[in-house]
């Protein structure tokens, strides 16, 4: 397992604006073989129903622990609320329907990209999949859904080599009208 540094580049109360920014970043990135990882804390049966429409074979466990219910055990998630969703390696087209289904519940949607491109005009080389991720936290400011918020934050994950992290983070923030404030989180991958 390796770690990534996730830098917050845009925080907004406007979910549509956050999704537009994500689309812009996905247009910049190499996504030919990309996947999306979906994590959430689902607290209500209404949100659960909407999420299950998007992901009928949802992987989850009770927030109180797997011994209190899980998809692995064949339990009914509606009987185990609140639940934590950790559903990884989904096709990219599942991300936006998942986000739309969440309502007020907290989530982190991480796109595992093939690469961030070279940007010769600012001295950036292409960086590979190992260092190329994009995360949108929904109704939360942190990657782990521990800090509920009324806004949504885009985090970019990049390699930190010879100052490249800072330059790429600033460049990516500029592409979506955001700015890097220095807020970073360690993200196990």
């Amino acid at each position: 397992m390796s770690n990534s540094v996730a830098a917050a580049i845009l925080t907004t109360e406007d979910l549509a604006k956050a999704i537009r920014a994500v689309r812009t970043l996905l247009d910049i990135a190499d996504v030919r073989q990309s996947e999306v990882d979906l994590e959430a804390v689902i607290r209500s049966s209404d949100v659960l129903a909407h999420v299950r429409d998007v992901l009928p074979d949802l992987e989850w466990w009770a927030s109180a622990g797997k011994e209190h219910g899980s998809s692995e055990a064949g339990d009914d998630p509606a009987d185990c609320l609140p639940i934590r969703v950790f559903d990884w390696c989904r096709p990219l087209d599942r991300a936006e329907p998942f986000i739309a289904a969440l309502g007020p519940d907290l989530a982190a949607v991480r796109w595992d990209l093939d690469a961030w491109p070279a940007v010769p005009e600012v001295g950036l080389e292409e960086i590979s999949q190992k260092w190329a991720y994009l995360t949108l936290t929904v109704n939360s400011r942190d990657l782990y859904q521990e800090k509920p918020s009324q806004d949504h934050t885009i985090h970019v994950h990049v390699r930190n080599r010879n100052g490249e992290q800072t330059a790429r983070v600033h460049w990516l923030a500029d592409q979506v009208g955001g700015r890097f404030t220095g807020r970073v989180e360690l993200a196990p991958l």
Side-chain angles (χ1 to χ4, degrees):
M1 176 167 289
S2 63
N3 292 319
S4 166
V5 175
I9 64 165
L10 179 71
T11 298
T12 179
E13 290 185 7
D14 183 348
L15 184 57
K17 177 180 178 179
I19 291 172
R20 284 190 304 274
V22 165
R23 288 178 187 154
T24 298
L25 294 168
L26 291 174
D27 286 344
I28 291 168
D30 178 351
V31 296
R32 288 173 289 165
Q33 296 177 17
S34 295
E35 299 172 328
V36 67
D37 299 335
L38 311 168
E39 299 181 8
V41 176
I42 298 177
R43 300 173 295 196
S44 76
S45 55
D46 288 341
V47 170
L48 176 61
H50 293 300
V51 168
R52 289 184 85 183
D53 285 343
V54 175
L55 300 169
D57 55 341
L58 185 68
E59 293 185 31
W60 63 273
W61 61 77
S63 290
K66 286 187 178 183
E67 65 276 6
H68 297 280
S70 71
S71 55
E72 188 177 276
D75 297 314
D76 183 349
D79 295 336
C80 302
L81 294 171
I83 63 170
R84 293 195 64 90
V85 172
F86 290 92
D87 213 340
W88 294 2
C89 304
R90 292 293 187 159
L92 296 184
D93 66 355
R94 295 295 78 213
E96 287 190 37
F98 177 75
I99 294 165
L102 291 169
D105 286 349
L106 288 65
V109 178
R110 186 181 75 208
W111 289 264
D112 300 346
L113 309 172
D114 294 317
W116 286 119
V119 187
E121 61 270 21
V122 291
L124 298 174
E125 299 174 1
E126 178 179 292
I127 56 174
S128 70
Q129 175 185 19
K130 182 175 181 179
W131 307 105
Y133 298 90
L134 167 64
T135 300
L136 171 62
T137 57
V138 179
N139 302 315
S140 174
R141 288 214 176 158
D142 69 304
L143 299 176
Y144 306 101
Q145 303 92 57
E146 294 172 353
K147 298 176 186 169
S149 179
Q150 295 298 312
D151 50 31
H152 322 285
T153 300
I154 294 174
H155 306 261
V156 292
H157 307 241
V158 299
R159 173 178 60 197
N160 190 17
R161 185 182 78 186
N162 301 327
E164 182 178 339
Q165 173 189 10
T166 303
R168 187 169 305 271
V169 167
H170 283 285
W171 185 83
L172 289 168
D174 288 346
Q175 305 314 299
V176 296
R179 72 181 185 80
F180 176 50
T181 62
R183 194 174 82 200
V184 297
E185 289 183 65
L186 188 61
L189 301 171

